[in-house]
């Protein structure tokens, strides 16, 4: 069996047994990348030499009988909005195209301490703003199941590289569904932890009260393995939770008895494609066959989740992205050209005698900010910054931002009440499978509405997973969404593992890997 | 989990420092010691003071707050605002804020939160300042300041005290042809306390007194150095006038914010200038509060004038919202009490004590308290050891303070303990040593760090035996009948010649004692 | 696909346009301005963005649609509801007042687009911006 067929857990076993060496695994990984990434475009950057050197070092240490980290020898891909010391971290934006952070994100430090081999940075929607990876300014990523379709977003690259079996583990971020949605669209497993479970230090902020970092892999078991390494309290993140990290990788295999699963009527009705609804219903039946009880629950405020989410996310984003001004790091507009342009404008206004306009004319500094940001940011980022700025501005704060924060509490209450009755809530991750590249890029609102099932758990701070549960007639993956109460990642992982023991959706491979052309 | 408190947004600033004309009468009524005839207007001043806290590290990161480091050598990804970084609150900054709030008699918020104030400036790397908007750590309160005349105090109200981070510095390069400004982020992230007063201050001199008293208080609390030269205290003032009109009404002029004052004296001068300027403008234009938007003017130290500064409208929409990266602060009564215990006695109370316990006058107690807690402690010990507070006060202000200034010492460097100096004072007081000799001994101990006794010995000061002294005096009285006659006739000063002769005969005699004994003998002789 | 979304939006828009404090709402299709071009331009300055006329126009339409959708929240009765600003409601997280190593100057300035040997450089800051 080819190394790329193996799960992380299987690879680790073979490494420990001495059946395979880290250099072989990394070498194979790089071959997969060479073979498929030209088409898939999952990676923005690969660190070939460093990865091989690290692999050699780990093999050496293993031979010497040294203690090795939990992920020793495993290639891992990391979304390019996680700061890696000494390596460019671009957020797929012109704004940070050449930015090299002098600091590691905490999760990167943890990966390094676990002896994982970070092989490269994956593509994303610019600054994680998007649901298709199409807003990336630095590359295009395609769905390995159909190269004409989106891989999902914003962690599109992280999902695609696992789906295309380039790596067994990748790390993404999820603000409104950005791990779960691409996982669903690419047929892989992804998990967004409870807010605060994983440190955000070093994650380039999009929406601070919603962002979380999490694992993507083929299986729930592998997700458990990676989560165990990523999770934990961090004194550098004041919002991180100070609770011990359970041994996810050990408990994941324990099935659940007496599991009570909830489903929401609206999530399977209007607005969801019949194929997706059918797949979810089949998945629920699988759980029933495994002994779970199923009952209907209500999330009465779910219909307001998208509006609530976008107001909060864009408001926070407009502030988080204010630092990209060309002053201390990142892109700066061509000052000379800018000054000439400004001088010309001034001359024209003087000529026309427009004294008011002259008075209001940008100073050189302001013009520098405005041009830098206009040139450094793409359209979607600008849209969200504008929306957020508006929502927070004088006169609108109460109506938009404050209102959204209140509805957010109601949304959280809905979950709290539902979780009095059930252990997990299941449903679709997306209303439809992956759509075609370019299909929604000019319809921002339609794109936002695609998130309707995933944003609730971000707003409420709850953990959630996406697990492959079927395929459309077109052969495109469909994902099952599982949501759990706070800090119940174990519950999610165990339920997902149970499901994956009884099904094989997660083991299917994109036809691309069999040398087949994209699906017509 | 307790019910979280409301995040209701309350309108800041404007409501609090707006002085509608209707309130003028009550303000004037409260104003005292301003004879109506003197000034044609009442000056109304409110101050906004920013002080840097004496923490070792910055508010949200471990960079040092030490003053004077070369540019951009005390920064890290957090205070540079690099992508991905997060702030974590400095515990000591909270403690210092609470100390200040307690000392200023404020209401301490049991639940306090952080907010982002969003605006763009090159010295503000994140594009927002983390501050406090609607739930500041302290509200209300007051500082009593010595009134300019008399023994009363004036109560200056405090509206709020809150914690926020400082911005970096932008330096304008004056070099010819240089069109750039230079940005140094060393200061970015330093903890600041913002203290906003009520518009209770009634004169520029009073503003200066307020700042002086505030500085003294914050020095005592070890909260801040309040050194304007080093930038650890900055102040902006809001000033307008209430002018009496012919029909017995009062009119308020538009409020002006005055910035760029670099010393307490500059504050006084700037506000004096501004008050007069506003009056002249009023006479010319008749413009009242509300007719024009609030103006900002900068003080020009060289030209000694205020001049208008450009202030764009847009920059005032700060789009405040709760800081998502920081969690709120909840303060318990126990914690508050623990902090209250660390305050120590405050300057106003110390002045009072010196006046009541040691019967010092206001001036003396002021001088001593202004020197700091250690100095006050020294004084008290000295007063107790010498048994004469007034004498101790004189010696400490003259001899001790002079020595400290000459040698650039603090009282902790001073080589004479209060106990030892007290011994010296007792000897002088008892007449054993005259004042001049006492000072000699003092100087000797300062230089050689000996005890009083050793110094006396080293200086060869020999105590003259009382019997010997009496004998000498009898001889002098007997041998100077003319002088004796003059003294008996009421010319007390004539005794001086006997004292002079005594000193010639024996330089170790205590002149004061000689005088006493001679007078005694003359009296005994009878008329 | 389009129809599905349209249905969703129609379901979501309130039928009573006078509820709440947000601007007027109209159903999917032709909307009165939720936001004007002038307001877009003001927001652009606040956000330090420079929009071409075409971008400004597009932004007015797109944001208009989004804001219209947002007015959905008017339906929700939020009297007596406390805002949820933090998903996980912690308090009192602090760090000790200890000095740790700063970046050396070169590392701090390494990413600066324009600098001299000591400082970041920007076009001259004159008065307020």
């Amino acid at each position: 069996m080819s190394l790329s067929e193996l799960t992380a857990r299987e690879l680790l076993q073979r490494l420990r047994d001495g059946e395979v060496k880290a250099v072989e695994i990394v070498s194979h990984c790089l071959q997969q990348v060479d073979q498929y990434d030209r088409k898939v475009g999952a990676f923005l950057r690969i660190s070939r030499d460093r990865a091989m050197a690290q692999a050699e070092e780990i093999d050496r240490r293993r031979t010497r009988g040294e203690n090795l980290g939990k992920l020793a020898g495993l290639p891992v891909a990391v979304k390019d909005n996680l700061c890696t010391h000494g390596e460019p971290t671009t957020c797929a934006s012109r704004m940070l195209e050449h930015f090299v952070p002098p600091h590691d994100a905490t999760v990167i430090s943890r990966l390094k301490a676990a002896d994982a081999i970070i092989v490269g940075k994956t593509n994303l929607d610019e600054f994680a703003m998007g649901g298709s990876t199409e807003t990336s300014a630095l590359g295009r990523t395609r769905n390995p199941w159909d190269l004409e379709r989106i891989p999902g977003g914003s962690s599109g690259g992280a999902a695609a590289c696992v789906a295309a079996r380039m790596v067994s583990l990748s790390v993404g971020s999820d603000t409104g569904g950005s791990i779960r949605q691409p996982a669903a669209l690419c047929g892989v497993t992804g998990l967004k932890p409870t807010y605060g479970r994983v440190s955000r230090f070093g994650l380039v902020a999009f929406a601070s009260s919603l962002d979380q970092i999490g694992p993507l892999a083929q299986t729930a078991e592998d997700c458990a393995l990676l989560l165990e390494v990523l999770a934990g309290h961090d004194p550098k993140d004041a919002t991180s939770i100070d609770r011990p990290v359970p041994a996810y990788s050990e408990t994941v295999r324990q099935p659940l008895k007496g599991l009570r699963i909830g489903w929401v009527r609206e999530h399977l009705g209007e607005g969801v494609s019949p194929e997706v609804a059918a797949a979810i219903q089949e998945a629920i039946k699988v759980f029933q066959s495994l002994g779970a009880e199923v009952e209907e629950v209500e999330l009465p405020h779910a219909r307001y989740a998208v509006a609530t989410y976008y107001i909060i996310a864009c408001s926070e984003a407009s502030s988080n992205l204010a630092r990209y001004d060309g002053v201390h790091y990142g892109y700066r507009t061509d000052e000379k050209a800018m000054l000439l342009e400004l001088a010309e404008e001034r001359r024209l206004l003087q000529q026309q005698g427009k004294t008011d306009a002259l008075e209001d004319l940008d100073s050189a500094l302001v013009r520098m900010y405005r041009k830098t940001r206009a040139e450094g940011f793409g359209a979607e980022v600008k849209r969200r910054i504008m929306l957020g700025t508006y929502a927070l501005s004088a006169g609108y704060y109460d109506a938009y931002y404050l209102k959204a924060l209140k509805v957010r509490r109601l949304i959280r209450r809905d979950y709290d009440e539902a979780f009095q009755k059930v252990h997990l809530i299941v449903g679709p991750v997306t209303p439809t499978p992956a759509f075609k590249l370019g299909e929604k890029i000019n319809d921002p609102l339609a794109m936002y509405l695609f998130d309707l099932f995933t944003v609730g758990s971000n707003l409420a701070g709850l953990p959630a997973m996406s697990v492959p549960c079927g395929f459309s007639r077109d052969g495109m993956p469909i994902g099952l969404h599982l949501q759990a109460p706070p800090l119940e990642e174990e519950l999610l992982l165990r339920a997902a593992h149970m499901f994956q023991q009884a099904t094989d959706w997660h083991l299917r491979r994109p036809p691309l890997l069999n040398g087949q052309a994209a699906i017509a | 989990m307790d019910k979280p408190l409301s995040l209701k947004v309350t309108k800041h600033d404007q409501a609090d420092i707006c002085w509608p004309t209707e309130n003028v009468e009550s303000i004037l009524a409260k104003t005292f010691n301003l004879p109506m005839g003197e000034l044609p207007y009442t000056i109304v001043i409110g101050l906004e003071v920013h002080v840097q806290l004496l923490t070792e590290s910055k508010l949200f990161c471990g960079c040092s707050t030490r003053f004077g480091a070369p540019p951009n050598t005390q920064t890290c990804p957090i205070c540079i605002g690099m992508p991905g970084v997060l702030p974590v609150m400095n515990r000591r900054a909270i403690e210092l804020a609470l100390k200040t709030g307690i000392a200023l008699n404020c209401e301490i918020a049991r639940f306090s939160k952080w907010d982002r104030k969003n605006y763009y400036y090159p010295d503000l790397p994140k594009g927002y300042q983390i501050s406090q908007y609607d739930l500041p750590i302290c509200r209300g309160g007051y500082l009593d300041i010595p009134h300019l005349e008399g023994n009363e105090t004036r109560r200056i109200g405090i509206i709020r005290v809150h914690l926020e981070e400082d911005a970096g510095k932008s330096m304008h390069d004056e070099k010819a042809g240089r069109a750039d400004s230079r940005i140094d982020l060393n200061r970015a992230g330093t903890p600041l306390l913002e203290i906003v007063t009520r518009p209770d201050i009634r004169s520029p001199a009073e503003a200066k007194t307020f700042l002086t008293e505030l500085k003294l208080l914050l020095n005592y609390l070890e909260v801040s150095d309040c050194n304007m030269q080093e930038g650890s205290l900055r102040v902006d003032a809001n000033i307008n006038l209430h002018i009496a009109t012919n029909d017995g009404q009062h009119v308020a002029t538009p409020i002006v914010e005055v910035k760029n004052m670099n010393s307490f004296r500059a504050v006084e001068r700037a506000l004096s200038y501004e008050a007069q300027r506003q009056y002249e403008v009023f006479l010319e234009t008749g413009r009242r509060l509300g007719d024009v938007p609030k103006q900002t003017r900068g003080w020009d130290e060289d030209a000694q004038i205020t001049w208008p500064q450009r202030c764009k409208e847009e920059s005032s929409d700060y789009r405040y919202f709760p800081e998502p990266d920081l969690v709120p602060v909840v303060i318990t009564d126990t914690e508050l009490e623990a902090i209250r215990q660390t305050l120590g006695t405050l300057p106003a109370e110390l002045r009072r004590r010196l006046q009541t316990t040691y019967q010092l006058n206001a001036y003396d107690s002021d001088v001593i308290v202004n020197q700091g807690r250690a100095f006050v402690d020294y004084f008290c010990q000295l007063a107790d050891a010498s048994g004469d507070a007034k004498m101790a006060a004189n010696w400490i202000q003259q001899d001790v303070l002079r020595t400290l200034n000459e040698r650039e010492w603090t009282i902790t460097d001073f080589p004479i303990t209060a106990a030892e100096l007290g011994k010296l004072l007792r000897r002088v007081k008892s007449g054993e040593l005259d004042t001049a000799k006492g000072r000699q001994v003092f100087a000797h101990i300062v230089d050689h760090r000996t005890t009083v006794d050793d110094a006396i010995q080293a200086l060869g000061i020999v105590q003259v035996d009382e019997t010997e002294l009496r004998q000498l005096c009898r001889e002098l009285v007997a041998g100077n009948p003319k002088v004796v006659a003059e003294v008996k006739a009421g010319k007390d000063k004539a005794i001086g010649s006997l004292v002079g002769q005594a000193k010639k005969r024996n330089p170790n005699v205590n002149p004061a004692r000689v005088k006493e004994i001679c007078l005694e003998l003359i009296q005994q002789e009878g008329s | 696909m389009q129809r599905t979304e349209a249905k969703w939006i129609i379901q979501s828009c309130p039928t009573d346009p006078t509820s709440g404090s947000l601007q007027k709402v109209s159903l999917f299709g032709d909307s009165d301005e939720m936001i004007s071009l002038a307001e877009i331009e003001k927001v652009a300055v606040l956000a330090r963005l420079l929009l071409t006329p075409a971008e400004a126009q597009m932004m007015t339409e797109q944001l208009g649609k989004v804001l219209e959708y947002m007015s959905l929240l008017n339906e929700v009765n939020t009297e007596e509801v406390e805002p949820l600003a933090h998903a996980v409601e912690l308090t009192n997280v602090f760090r000790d007042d200890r000095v740790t190593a700063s970046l050396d100057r070169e590392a701090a300035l390494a990413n600066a687009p324009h600098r001299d040997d000591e400082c970041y450089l920007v076009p001259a800051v004159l008065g307020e911006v």
Side-chain angles (χ1 to χ4, degrees), chain B residues 108-178:
Chain B
I108 311 290
R110 293 302 199 261
F111 179 92
S112 186
K113 66 185 243 297
W114 313 99
D115 300 292
R116 290 192 187 176
K117 179 179 183 181
N118 297 279
Y119 66 97
Y120 290 87
Y121 210 72
D123 64 6
L124 194 69
K126 293 194 293 294
Y128 58 86
Q129 177 198 31
I130 299 180
S131 175
Q132 296 189 288
Y133 183 58
D134 58 325
L135 290 178
I137 195 159
C138 311
R139 275 207 118 100
Y142 56 86
L143 179 64
D144 288 331
I145 63 174
H147 190 52
L148 297 170
E149 293 151 39
N151 278 333
E152 295 142 62
T153 56
R154 279 264 294 138
R155 179 156 291 188
I156 307 297
I158 307 278
I159 295 176
R160 53 183 278 153
V161 176
H162 74 253
L163 207 46
E164 61 184 25
E165 57 174 339
D166 206 350
K169 267 211 201 97
S170 80
M171 300 173 283
H172 309 292
D173 208 313
E174 300 299 336
K175 285 197 209 129
R178 223 33 199 312

Side-chain angles (χ1 to χ4, degrees), chain A residues 200 202 319-320 323 328-329 394 397, chain B residues 81-82 84 116 118 122 317 325:
Chain A
R200 287 183 300 119
S319 178
N320 284 330
R323 66 191 64 194
H328 310 98
Y329 49 78
Y397 176 91
Chain B
M82 285 195 170
R116 290 192 187 176
N118 297 279
D317 186 353
D325 292 331

Side-chain angles (χ1 to χ4, degrees), chain A residues 100 195 270-271 303-304 326 328-330 332 335 370 373-374 383 386 396 399-400 403 405 408-409 440, chain C residues 4-5 7 22-23 39 47-50 62 73 75-76 78 82-84 88-89 111-114 121:
Chain A
V100 178
Y195 184 85
E270 311 250 14
R303 58 200 253 104
Y304 306 109
H328 310 98
Y329 49 78
R332 186 190 287 201
E335 273 177 80
R370 298 183 72 186
R373 291 159 65 78
R383 227 180 333 259
M386 292 284 291
Y396 295 112
Y400 289 104
K403 180 82 179 177
L405 288 187
R408 182 182 191 173
R409 189 172 291 279
K440 288 196 209 286
Chain C
T4 309
E5 280 134 29
K7 261 202 195 141
L22 292 171
Q23 279 83 343
E39 275 182 291
R48 293 297 184 266
L49 290 171
L50 197 62
Q62 288 173 338
L73 295 188
E75 271 178 25
V76 189
T78 51
E82 294 298 331
L84 184 65
V88 172
E89 293 181 289
N111 285 290
H114 195 195
L121 293 177

Side-chain angles (χ1 to χ4, degrees), chain B residues 367-474:
Chain B
V367 171
I368 292 171
V369 169
N370 280 350
Q371 293 301 317
R373 204 186 288 282
F375 197 86
V376 171
D377 286 343
Y378 190 93
F379 165 76
C380 293
Q381 287 165 34
L382 182 62
D384 293 340
S386 68
D388 185 338
K390 185 64 191 161
M391 187 184 191
N394 288 339
W395 276 74
I396 209 176
Q397 285 177 75
Q398 290 165 39
D399 303 80
V400 177
L401 204 47
R402 185 178 26 88
T403 309
L404 295 184
N405 289 337
E406 278 169 11
R407 313 259 176 143
E408 292 186 347
W409 284 340
T410 63
I411 192 64
T412 38
D413 302 322
F414 192 61
I416 314 179
T417 65
E420 200 60 20
L421 184 55
K423 274 196 211 152
L424 177 58
L425 295 197
R426 275 192 189 276
R427 303 261 188 110
V428 173
K429 184 175 163 120
S430 72
E432 261 182 65
L433 295 168
D434 62 64
T435 314
K437 292 221 180 59
R439 293 221 149 91
Q440 273 185 299
V441 172
F442 178 90
H444 185 94
I445 300 175
V446 167
D447 285 333
H448 302 281
R449 294 165 193 255
T450 66
T451 62
V452 172
D453 289 321
D454 289 347
I456 289 177
Q457 197 148 52
L459 290 169
I461 298 169
V462 173
Q463 177 82 336
V464 177
D465 185 52
E466 180 76 0
T467 331
E468 208 184 310
L469 198 62
R470 284 200 160 258
Q471 178 60 28
L472 176 59
C473 288
R474 264 183 241 119

